[in-house]
Amino acid sequence: MGPVIATSRPAAPPGDRFARMDSAAIRRLEELADRAWPPFEVERRPGWEARFSHGMHRRLNSATVWTADDLPGTVERLERWYRDRGMPAIFKLTGASAAGLDDHLAAAGYRPDARVSIMTAPVSATEPPAGVLLSPEATPEWRDAFAAISGYGPRRRRRLAELLDRIGLPAAYAAVRAGGRIVATGLAVAEGGHAGLFEMATDPAHRGRGLAGRIRDGLLAWMTEGGVATAYLQVLVGNRPAEHLYRSAGFEPRYEYWYRIEPGASTDRPPVA
């Protein structure tokens, strides 16, 4: 669960923090990430997309509006779409979102939440680190380990398994074992010369030992072998250890996205993604 941002509108990021990325490039990367993690249900219309996955991850339970001739009407339609599925409306916004959307939602009482930085890096030749196990499928042991590290209960574990089964693009599931069990995980999903890093997790008792860096490098080595040119990932703004981990491998922030949640919605929100 990400922290609620106290301001009425997310602050604009410092201009010198980002390599410039235009709206078309932002949309392209967002679409790649959305296809990497297919939601249970998606409706696409000219100018917008709505995703639903029973509360698993904000990204998979939020709407993106790229353009809108009738902005209030589009928002109302999406509110009904989520209401029909028993969820509050959650909008995911970027610098490429429909003009005026963030202001419109703020005026309607939508609260901002979970600012996320998208980082990218060119993929260069990387030697596979020792002790990193890679599999093209999510084995039961990998699923159980990631769910345990993430603190998932039985219901969320079932939803996780269903979501992983929906990934149809080339993928690599990385793991490091210690004491006879998996203590660190990661996932890469590739498409069109890009690959995303997801589900990076380390057992609390094994943190500070460089395992996340080994997982990262193991997945980058897999990307090299697969001819991937660009790696991307999502990290919660303010997570300094994660930002350092990825910057040390050449990742740089490119843009940010954030969420706005319908007023009156429960504070028990999906995990950030």
Side-chain angles (χ1 to χ4, degrees):
M1 182 183 298
V4 175
I5 303 170
T7 56
S8 61
R9 182 175 184 180
D16 61 354
R17 184 182 170 194
F18 294 88
R20 185 171 297 278
M21 180 174 273
D22 63 24
S23 293
I26 290 174
R27 182 167 179 172
R28 165 68 171 159
L29 201 52
E30 285 292 296
E31 290 171 347
L32 285 168
D34 288 342
R35 288 194 295 271
W37 272 93
F40 286 105
E41 181 182 0
V42 60
E43 182 171 347
R44 294 183 178 93
R45 299 282 177 161
W48 61 262
E49 176 179 300
R51 299 168 292 273
F52 173 69
S53 293
H54 302 284
M56 281 292 291
H57 297 306
R58 285 182 187 83
R59 187 178 195 105
L60 303 181
N61 293 277
S62 60
T64 299
V65 182
W66 300 112
T67 61
D69 294 330
D70 175 11
L71 188 59
T74 298
V75 169
E76 289 175 6
R77 180 174 182 175
L78 288 164
E79 288 174 340
R80 291 194 300 271
W81 196 90
Y82 282 101
R83 194 176 303 124
D84 289 345
R85 289 153 182 79
M87 281 192 63
I90 302 176
F91 288 81
K92 181 163 69 67
L93 299 103
T94 70
S97 293
L101 177 61
D102 193 55
D103 287 336
H104 177 82
L105 295 173
Y110 276 71
R111 66 178 182 270
D113 194 46
R115 185 175 276 277
V116 177
S117 175
I118 301 299
M119 305 178 76
T120 70
V123 175
S124 56
T126 302
E127 288 295 322
V132 176
L133 307 174
L134 296 178
S135 170
E137 298 179 353
T139 65
E141 184 185 16
W142 191 98
R143 298 175 189 221
D144 288 345
F146 176 79
I149 294 169
S150 302
Y152 286 179
R155 178 180 174 275
R156 196 167 289 277
R157 284 172 182 253
R158 289 193 299 272
R159 295 299 186 198
L160 171 68
E162 292 167 358
L163 283 170
L164 292 173
D165 287 341
R166 293 179 63 82
I167 296 175
L169 294 168
Y173 295 82
V176 172
R177 300 175 63 87
R181 63 187 181 91
I182 293 175
V183 295
T185 67
L187 164 64
V189 182
E191 180 190 3
H194 289 69
L197 284 174
F198 306 97
E199 308 304 66
M200 296 284 290
T202 303
D203 185 291
H206 293 267
R207 290 175 185 165
R209 304 180 186 182
L211 300 188
R214 288 166 59 191
I215 291 282
R216 174 203 65 200
D217 291 346
L219 292 172
L220 289 173
W222 174 81
M223 294 180 198
T224 299
E225 294 173 1
V228 171
T230 303
Y232 66 89
L233 56 87
Q234 304 141 0
V235 60
L236 190 65
V237 171
N239 185 343
R240 299 303 176 85
E243 290 179 352
H244 175 74
L245 171 71
Y246 300 124
R247 280 185 177 275
S248 66
F251 285 85
E252 294 292 340
R254 302 301 306 275
Y255 66 93
E256 291 179 355
Y257 67 78
W258 62 97
Y259 296 94
R260 281 199 180 270
I261 301 175
E262 189 173 10
S266 167
T267 57
D268 184 17
R269 297 182 302 280
V272 175

